[in-house]
Amino acid sequence: MSDNNPVTLSTETVLADSKPPESQGRLILKRFLANKVAVGSLILILVIIGFAISAIGLGPIPGWWKYNYTGLNDQVNGGTPTLSILPKWLGGTGFQVGEHPWGQDRIGKDYFAMTMRGVQNSVLVMVIIGLMATVIGVFVGAIAGYFRGVVDAILMRITDVFIVIPALVIGSVVGHAVGGFGAATLAVMLGFFTWMGIARLVRGEFLSLREREFVEAARVAGASDARIIFRHILPNALGTVIVAATLIMASAILLETALSYLGFGIRPPDVSLGNLISSNQSAFQTRPWLFWWPAFFIVSLALLVNFVGDGLRDAFDPRHRRFKLRRMQEERPSLAEDEQVRAGDDDDIIDAGAK
Amino acid sequence: MVSFILRRILVSVLILLAASFIMYMLTAYSSDPLADLRQSSSLNKEKLIQNLIQTLQLNVPPPIRWFLWLGGAAKCLIPLANACDLGSTISNAQVVDILPQAIQSTVQLVTGALVLAIMLGLALGIITALRQYSGLDNVVTFTSFFLFSLPSFLVAVLLKEFVAIGFNNYLEKPEIAIWVIIIIAVVLGLIVQSIIGGDGRRRLIVGGATTVLSAIVLYAISLSGWLLHPGLGPIGIFILAAGIGVGTTALIAGLRNRRALITAGINVVVAMVAYFSLQGLFDVSSSGTLVILGIVTVIVGLVTGFLMGGYDRGQSIRVGAITAALSGGLVLLDRFMQSWTTYFSDTNGRPLATVGFQTPNLGGDVWVSGIDTFTHFLLPTVALLLISFASYTRYARAGMLETMGQDYVRTARAKGLPERTVVIRHAFRNMLIPITTLVAFDVGALLGGAIITERIFGIPGMGSLFYAGLLRGDLNPVMGYFIVIAGMAILFNFLADLAYAALDPRVRVR
């Protein structure tokens, strides 16, 4: 930097040095990837899904595990788990998998295969509910928020009607009706009753986004309503939608397992993590392993999905972390400035600062 | 304002009507109330089926039957007419007759869980917000994520199958192992030092003292078999009540406010006097007497606070009332503990119940039946509590951080108010405003969650009514359940909106 005109010079240097500005999507991706917990959770979810599918196969394709979830087998060792991971020098028997690593239930079904089937079903239900809720919710919310007025009033009152019924209650009734038709049908039907949260969120986003200049510009340029909604506004509301969809998926797992536990969800002979627990509940005193494995997978799946959702929220909406920023500003001014420059790319942060 | 309320009520009624129609159609078309009878082998099967079709009007198609049901339900709105008609169940009982008992059980359960969840959640949320990024904060944050991901049926099953039975087995030989004592004491010490904060020396002293003290208490409990013959005794009550008095004063008025401190002291003394003089009355008490005593206690607290007064009378009154109520509660607790041995032998040494809402054929006075209610509702309440506890913690933490960053808090600090006043009077009160909305949503979730808890613990509440009704295809109890649940959800949402408008002057209702 020279002494006589530092400002101009430094600007020029910056302009010459800087790469082309990064896109919004890349910034979000970078922020997400920097979140170790969220990325780790995502990887773990994929590993669990891959493990569950490859172990017992999908549909007619067989997996690498020798038993399936319906076959009756001879009781080995009273059905206790044969898996052992305690090494010999600690008094265990060393690592061995054995016939039925996670034990057997009362009638001799292999519990590993059953749990894996339960995981598959839970993930299937989770994904379908998430997709259904997102599609319906975005559709209703976008139309209500974009057209406002009478359309908005009617759609939101319809949303209220569905919100009044607690999820578990309507889920029980729906599950009671269609639970026998398998996991996919159940999930699709439940999807019709879980979209309300997303609809409200999307409506709120649309109400504020539709007043912005770029929408005005698009309208002046002659874009149709559908084009403005889907090409101009929706991409800007995508963050909210993705985060809400992830969080809905986490609660979808809990809803499905709870319904299956009550007997209104997936029913025997098909297996769900919830009905594994309810059908073996009386045996927990004598065979606690029948409880621990399904419980472990329910909690892990829900927890990991929640972590991913939280990571996505932080990535899409750095406002969420403004308390951290403020504290950093107080403690380390240089770092805070850096943060602000980075955040300056995102115009949302300016709104938050002005509040 | 009036037009807002009227419009809201009108819209709510319409929403309730539409929701009940959806619910009616779904339930009616998804289940078959005659299924049980068709498979029965009784000789007059045909006649029974015809009877049921007659009483439940099954020959009328569901959409029209909904109007008939609605006509009966609408009569409930006529005050004092007692013409309510919600139809009858398959076994020919009137839904109106079985509903009140069910509502009572569920309301008892849900209220307990809700109040505890709010109090614990807010307390923990505030503490973690004030000690942001401390070890405690991180642990609580992770725990609340964990609780979010924990389905309520899992908690309930876990509590019932492992905790209840395990605790009852443990009571056969209630000794606490040395290593358990050490772990609990160290964890308590760590938690307390994290709450206290400050520099390393202060933390070390407080944490260490807590560890040693709790280890000694636990060891004494283990050695004396206290779990079999619990009691506080006059000394225990005095120490605890004095602690409550000092703590309440420190939180509400600050220890510098001598008048408030004296108010608290007077109430502790009154509690001690009451402890010695009331034991005879307690033996012949009914629950009515206890309610009267409770009211008297609070009034004594209010009056002492008013008389001591000082420059800030309101503070002294609050300190007096809270100290009086809490130390009165201690006296009651001690009396309940005295009846524990009786209850223990009445239940054959397995006091923690896993099924039902009361022990059948249990005689005894108000104390024994009080313990009975406690042991039956403890685990279901905990199971239900954990659903909403985590969200209160998260919201309270976020809300507290938000208000602590506001300009009016900086102003309050700048004009030299003590940190206690800033937190309790400026930040805490404003943080409570958005929580009202959360409570409204939470009531609905808790009532729904009660289906699972009631089923696992065998409590004959509304959830059981719904569950059994749905399984048998019994439409009317399901609808009776629904109308109560949905009505409550709408009512609480409405109240939350009004409370929000009343508390936050920025919100205007149109």
Side-chain angles (χ1 to χ4, degrees):
Chain A
M1 281 181 208
S2 87
D3 286 333
N4 44 13
N5 206 346
V7 179
T8 334
L9 208 106
S10 74
T11 317
E12 276 168 6
T13 333
V14 168
L15 280 178
D17 282 355
S18 64
K19 293 166 222 147
E22 286 182 285
S23 74
Q24 188 72 261
R26 283 204 68 83
L27 275 172
I28 292 166
L29 188 67
K30 252 168 95 177
R31 276 200 293 263
F32 181 74
L33 290 179
N35 188 335
K36 291 200 187 66
V37 178
V39 174
S41 304
L42 188 60
I43 294 173
L44 266 178
I45 292 174
L46 295 178
V47 167
I48 290 179
I49 295 176
F51 192 67
I53 291 179
S54 68
I56 57 162
L58 198 63
I61 313 157
W64 46 259
W65 185 240
K66 49 194 164 184
Y67 298 109
N68 61 25
Y69 64 94
T70 46
L72 301 179
N73 310 297
D74 295 333
Q75 291 274 356
V76 177
N77 212 354
T80 47
T82 52
L83 180 72
S84 136
I85 46 169
L86 208 61
K88 283 204 174 79
W89 51 271
L90 268 175
T93 49
F95 182 81
Q96 57 179 44
V97 174
E99 270 309 291
H100 298 286
W102 293 356
Q104 291 166 289
D105 73 353
R106 254 169 315 178
I107 50 174
K109 288 183 186 171
D110 182 63
Y111 215 57
F112 174 74
M114 292 178 89
T115 313
M116 287 299 114
R117 175 66 182 178
V119 171
Q120 283 186 1
N121 273 336
S122 282
V123 171
L124 180 72
V125 171
M126 167 183 103
V127 172
I128 294 181
I129 290 185
L131 285 178
M132 295 274 302
T134 311
V135 171
I136 302 178
V138 164
F139 193 72
V140 172
I143 290 180
Y146 182 76
F147 290 107
R148 296 193 302 192
V150 183
V151 181
D152 179 32
I154 294 173
L155 284 177
M156 282 302 112
R157 290 300 84 74
I158 294 176
T159 314
D160 285 345
V161 169
F162 283 95
I163 283 183
V164 161
I165 316 173
L168 198 63
V169 174
I170 192 81
S172 301
V173 176
V174 170
H176 184 60
V178 302
F181 298 119
T185 321
L186 176 76
V188 170
M189 289 310 289
L190 287 179
F192 285 112
F193 298 96
T194 40
W195 50 270
M196 292 81 74
I198 290 193
R200 281 188 162 183
L201 278 174
V202 170
R203 170 180 173 266
E205 286 282 306
F206 266 67
L207 279 179
S208 84
L209 285 173
R210 76 186 296 283
E211 307 294 336
R212 300 269 278 266
E213 283 84 355
F214 66 86
V215 176
E216 196 71 15
R219 199 171 289 132
V220 171
S224 67
D225 285 338
R227 192 180 167 84
I228 295 178
I229 291 178
F230 290 109
R231 298 300 295 270
H232 294 276
I233 305 187
L234 193 56
N236 283 289
L238 210 58
T240 320
V241 173
I242 291 179
V243 173
T246 322
L247 296 178
I248 281 207
M249 285 186 179
S251 55
I253 295 186
L254 300 186
L255 180 65
E256 181 268 318
T257 48
L259 290 179
S260 301
Y261 175 82
L262 286 174
F264 296 134
I266 296 165
R267 292 180 203 164
D270 206 345
V271 178
S272 145
L273 294 176
N275 74 22
L276 277 185
I277 288 189
S278 76
S279 54
N280 294 313
Q281 196 182 336
S282 54
F284 287 154
Q285 282 300 312
T286 45
R287 301 176 165 200
W289 63 87
L290 294 178
F291 179 82
W292 295 121
W293 285 112
F296 171 79
F297 276 101
I298 295 173
V299 176
S300 324
L301 279 175
L303 190 63
L304 293 172
V305 176
N306 265 328
F307 276 141
V308 172
D310 201 55
L312 283 172
R313 179 174 23 213
D314 284 348
F316 275 109
D317 184 9
R319 266 180 299 180
H320 203 64
R321 297 197 145 181
R322 66 177 174 280
F323 305 108
K324 215 170 201 166
L325 290 183
R326 188 164 291 168
R327 175 168 273 232
M328 282 157 112
Q329 270 170 359
E330 283 163 15
E331 285 168 7
R332 278 177 293 183
S334 63
L335 213 146
E337 266 169 35
D338 179 30
E339 240 349 272
Q340 273 188 334
V341 171
R342 214 151 54 81
D345 294 337
D346 188 330
D347 36 331
D348 280 348
I349 196 76
I350 298 169
D351 296 348
K355 261 183 195 169
Chain B
M1 190 72 179
V2 176
S3 97
F4 166 78
I5 294 178
L6 285 178
R7 226 170 19 173
R8 267 302 293 267
I9 291 177
L10 188 70
V11 170
S12 301
V13 169
L14 289 179
I15 287 175
L16 199 58
L17 282 183
S20 84
F21 181 74
I22 293 178
M23 190 78 185
Y24 201 93
M25 290 301 113
L26 279 173
T27 322
Y29 281 115
S30 75
S31 52
D32 177 16
L34 299 174
D36 276 354
L37 275 181
R38 286 214 183 91
Q39 286 162 9
S40 86
S41 56
S42 88
L43 289 171
N44 56 351
K45 186 168 133 182
E46 282 305 315
K47 190 168 180 301
L48 288 177
I49 290 182
Q50 285 308 319
N51 276 347
L52 198 59
I53 291 179
Q54 276 299 313
T55 38
L56 297 181
Q57 294 170 309
L58 293 178
N59 43 4
V60 183
I64 300 172
R65 228 189 310 153
W66 177 71
F67 281 104
L68 294 176
W69 174 83
L70 191 67
K75 288 187 199 147
C76 297
L77 294 175
I78 309 169
L80 302 177
N82 205 11
C84 214
D85 179 20
L86 291 172
S88 61
T89 65
I90 285 187
S91 40
N92 214 3
Q94 286 294 312
V95 173
V96 182
D97 296 336
I98 48 178
L99 209 51
Q101 170 68 44
I103 291 180
Q104 196 203 333
S105 297
T106 303
V107 165
Q108 211 169 350
L109 188 67
V110 169
T111 316
L114 186 67
V115 170
L116 280 174
I118 292 176
M119 284 184 358
L120 291 177
L122 288 188
L124 209 56
I126 292 168
I127 291 171
T128 48
L130 295 179
R131 303 274 173 262
Q132 200 185 5
Y133 303 128
S134 65
L136 183 73
D137 183 27
N138 291 332
V139 171
V140 169
T141 304
F142 181 81
T143 315
S144 52
F145 261 105
F146 183 72
L147 289 178
F148 270 134
S149 319
L150 209 56
S152 59
F153 72 92
L154 209 57
V155 187
V157 170
L158 201 68
L159 286 174
K160 182 181 169 178
E161 301 287 336
F162 295 98
V163 175
I165 295 173
F167 183 74
N168 285 339
N169 290 339
Y170 167 76
L171 279 185
E172 286 166 11
K173 198 165 173 285
E175 282 168 0
I176 310 174
I178 294 290
W179 61 274
V180 178
I181 294 183
I182 294 174
I183 291 177
I184 294 179
V186 168
V187 168
L188 279 177
L190 284 175
I191 292 175
V192 170
Q193 66 87 14
S194 199
I195 294 176
I196 287 294
D199 57 2
R201 204 177 119 87
R202 179 169 131 154
R203 285 167 171 228
L204 198 66
I205 294 174
V206 175
T210 314
T211 309
V212 173
L213 202 67
S214 43
I216 293 174
V217 170
L218 284 172
Y219 189 64
I221 285 177
S222 165
L223 214 58
S224 62
W226 189 81
L227 287 173
L228 295 180
H229 314 281
L232 296 172
I235 302 172
I237 290 184
F238 181 72
I239 294 175
L240 289 175
I244 287 173
V246 173
T248 314
T249 318
L251 266 184
I252 291 178
L255 289 177
R256 295 243 177 90
N257 188 340
R258 290 295 159 189
R259 283 175 184 269
L261 194 59
I262 295 171
T263 311
I266 292 174
N267 280 298
V268 171
V269 173
V270 170
M272 290 311 295
V273 172
Y275 169 74
F276 286 112
S277 56
L278 286 181
Q279 291 295 339
L281 178 64
F282 279 159
D283 287 341
V284 292
S285 285
S286 67
S287 45
T289 331
L290 297 186
V291 172
I292 296 172
L293 282 177
I295 295 170
V296 171
T297 315
V298 175
I299 290 176
V300 168
L302 291 173
V303 169
T304 46
F306 183 79
L307 292 180
M308 285 309 296
Y311 65 91
D312 193 346
R313 191 158 262 163
Q315 272 187 346
S316 296
I317 291 178
R318 279 197 295 278
V319 169
I322 294 176
T323 317
L326 289 180
S327 40
L330 277 180
V331 176
L332 271 191
L333 182 67
D334 180 73
R335 184 58 188 80
F336 273 116
M337 284 176 169
Q338 289 173 30
S339 289
W340 176 257
T341 328
T342 324
Y343 182 73
F344 192 73
S345 55
D346 281 355
T347 51
N348 302 321
R350 304 193 73 77
L352 217 49
T354 52
V355 163
F357 67 117
Q358 61 186 32
T359 312
N361 308 323
L362 182 82
D365 48 9
V366 60
W367 307 105
V368 171
S369 56
I371 297 178
D372 191 50
T373 310
F374 172 75
T375 54
H376 280 85
F377 276 96
L378 177 66
L379 294 181
T381 308
V382 171
L384 207 49
L385 159 82
L386 290 178
I387 302 176
S388 48
F389 167 68
S391 53
Y392 282 112
T393 315
R394 299 306 296 161
Y395 276 90
R397 180 175 178 276
M400 199 68 188
L401 287 173
E402 172 114 33
T403 46
M404 288 301 276
Q406 296 289 329
D407 289 340
Y408 56 78
V409 168
R410 192 191 306 165
T411 313
R413 284 202 177 116
K415 72 183 183 192
L417 290 181
E419 187 67 16
R420 178 188 57 72
T421 317
V422 174
V423 171
I424 302 251
R425 285 211 159 167
H426 294 75
F428 172 63
R429 291 186 181 184
N430 284 298
M431 179 271 280
L432 285 180
I433 298 175
I435 300 283
T436 47
T437 326
L438 187 62
V439 175
F441 276 109
D442 202 41
V443 169
L446 279 178
L447 285 170
I451 300 176
I452 290 176
T453 328
E454 283 175 9
R455 167 157 162 66
I456 293 176
F457 288 100
I459 295 172
M462 291 210 290
S464 311
L465 201 67
F466 169 76
Y467 180 77
L470 191 58
L471 269 190
R472 292 198 302 175
D474 203 352
L475 192 49
N476 287 327
V478 170
M479 288 312 290
Y481 165 84
F482 170 76
I483 212 79
V484 174
I485 294 276
M488 278 200 204
I490 288 182
L491 178 72
F492 272 90
N493 260 316
F494 180 54
L495 289 181
D497 280 359
L498 286 187
Y500 212 109
L503 292 174
D504 190 342
R506 287 170 301 184
V507 176
R508 293 241 170 75
V509 289
R510 284 165 286 115

